[in-house]
Amino acid sequence: MRNTVLDFIGMKRQGRRIAMLTCYDYTMARLLDASGIDAILVGDSLGCVMLGYPDTLPVTMDDMIHHARAVVRGCQQALVVVDMPFMSYQASIAEAVRNAGRLIKETGAQAVKLEGGASVIGQIRAIVDAGIPVQAHVGMTPQSVNALGGFKVQGRGEEAAARLLADARAVEQAGAFSVVLECVPPKLAALASRTLHIPTIGIGAGAGCDGQVLVSQDMLGMFTDFTPRFVKRFAEAGETMRTAFRTYAEEVRAGTFPSEAHAFTSADCDDAVLARLERSLHEEQTPEDDGV
Ligand code: KIV
């Protein structure tokens, strides 16, 4: 049975913390799903992790749909949430609903996520009214990196903290089923988590949130272009992969791969047959070929 947004809310009521990770492809989705992860986010972080952009701004609807379809094909249990990319929902409410609809209809995911607080409650309300669950995202919102002046902790100081709490409450009232709190001081995130009815999912927001999300390639040690302070490496998969690639190249160059264990048996191709074939190749050669 696949997790639903109601399970998400139920987990908060039961005090069971929610484990969420990002994913952008089929193979990783199969691994994550088999691990029993509660939810998968097809984040627009794929712009950096999969496509090599410096930030998430160039990511398109087509990019999100392409990757989300692969993830959905690979997972049966986890709730799949897809990010709405930059400028797919900001310009108008009608465009937001149309694009949220595309993400659900064309990928088979169960929910969408969009960034922003009070400024996007019209979009959240309209998407929810169209029957699409919305996860909100406040605090450090990477699509606003230029307006925020970089990737920085948000909610510092009384005014900023009050604004963050107001944003979180506004998205809850607009109908979001959950809210991501990114780069928020832990005590402020804990206060938001205690006072909201919907689950908070923290990233760089401390252990007081109702759940956590990380970029999988960060926590696996695979993506090292930049590593935020809040990332814990749960594995050194990048190093494991580099070692495997190096060893493969060495074995190919040395002629030790493939060995007999990694080749097909030659039952249908015995030495006598091969000798006959080789002889006929020689006989077919023209006199000119012989002279070369
Ligand atoms: O795009 C993303 O991966 C995200 C998470 C980091 C929350 O928005």
Side-chain angles (χ1 to χ4, degrees), residues 22 24 41-46 56 83 113 115 137 142 180 182 203 213-215 230:
T22 66
Y24 320 105
L41 172 64
V42 186
D44 61 354
S45 48
L46 69 82
T56 59
D83 250 338
K113 174 166 87 56
E115 297 181 7
H137 182 161
V180 170
E182 180 164 355
I203 174 163
V213 63
L214 281 177
V215 169
F230 56 75

Side-chain angles (χ1 to χ4, degrees), residues 242-258:
R242 268 192 300 275
T243 303
F245 298 148
R246 259 196 311 267
T247 308
Y248 167 79
E250 281 163 16
E251 291 192 17
V252 167
R253 288 172 193 140
T256 54
F257 175 81

Side-chain angles (χ1 to χ4, degrees), residues 188-262:
L188 180 59
L191 173 59
S193 305
R194 281 199 305 278
T195 52
L196 292 175
H197 299 290
I198 57 174
T200 59
I201 306 295
I203 174 163
C209 297
D210 302 304
Q212 299 291 328
V213 63
L214 281 177
V215 169
S216 291
Q217 282 76 355
D218 284 343
M219 58 85 82
L220 291 172
M222 290 169 68
F223 182 76
T224 52
D225 288 8
F226 47 87
T227 305
R229 179 189 150 89
F230 56 75
V231 170
K232 175 179 172 182
R233 287 219 193 148
F234 287 79
E236 293 299 338
E239 189 46 42
T240 304
M241 290 165 82
R242 268 192 300 275
T243 303
F245 298 148
R246 259 196 311 267
T247 308
Y248 167 79
E250 281 163 16
E251 291 192 17
V252 167
R253 288 172 193 140
T256 54
F257 175 81
S259 66
E260 273 186 16
H262 299 104

Side-chain angles (χ1 to χ4, degrees), residues 53-183:
Y53 298 134
D55 53 44
T56 59
L57 304 187
V59 176
T60 65
M61 280 290 293
D62 288 345
D63 291 333
M64 295 308 303
I65 289 169
H66 176 78
H67 286 271
R69 289 171 88 163
V71 170
V72 169
R73 282 196 288 270
C75 111
Q76 276 147 22
Q77 285 195 322
L79 176 81
V80 181
V81 182
V82 185
D83 250 338
M84 298 195 70
F86 181 54
M87 290 320 287
S88 68
Y89 58 94
Q90 288 92 340
S92 76
I93 290 177
E95 209 171 0
V97 176
R98 255 194 306 275
N99 282 324
R102 274 196 72 196
L103 289 175
I104 298 299
K105 212 169 164 168
E106 296 180 34
T107 71
Q110 288 80 52
V112 298
K113 174 166 87 56
L114 55 81
E115 297 181 7
S119 62
V120 291
I121 55 173
Q123 282 86 335
I124 294 176
R125 208 168 271 134
I127 296 170
V128 171
D129 283 349
I132 299 170
V134 176
Q135 182 169 56
H137 182 161
V138 302
M140 171 62 215
T141 46
Q143 292 176 14
S144 305
V145 60
N146 292 322
L148 296 174
F151 296 94
K152 295 179 181 160
V153 176
Q154 302 297 306
R156 276 194 170 139
E158 188 168 340
E159 203 184 309
R163 209 168 38 243
L164 188 133
L165 289 173
D167 276 339
R169 184 172 291 258
V171 297
E172 172 174 87
Q173 283 171 353
F177 75 91
S178 164
V179 57
V180 170
L181 304 178
E182 180 164 355
C183 293

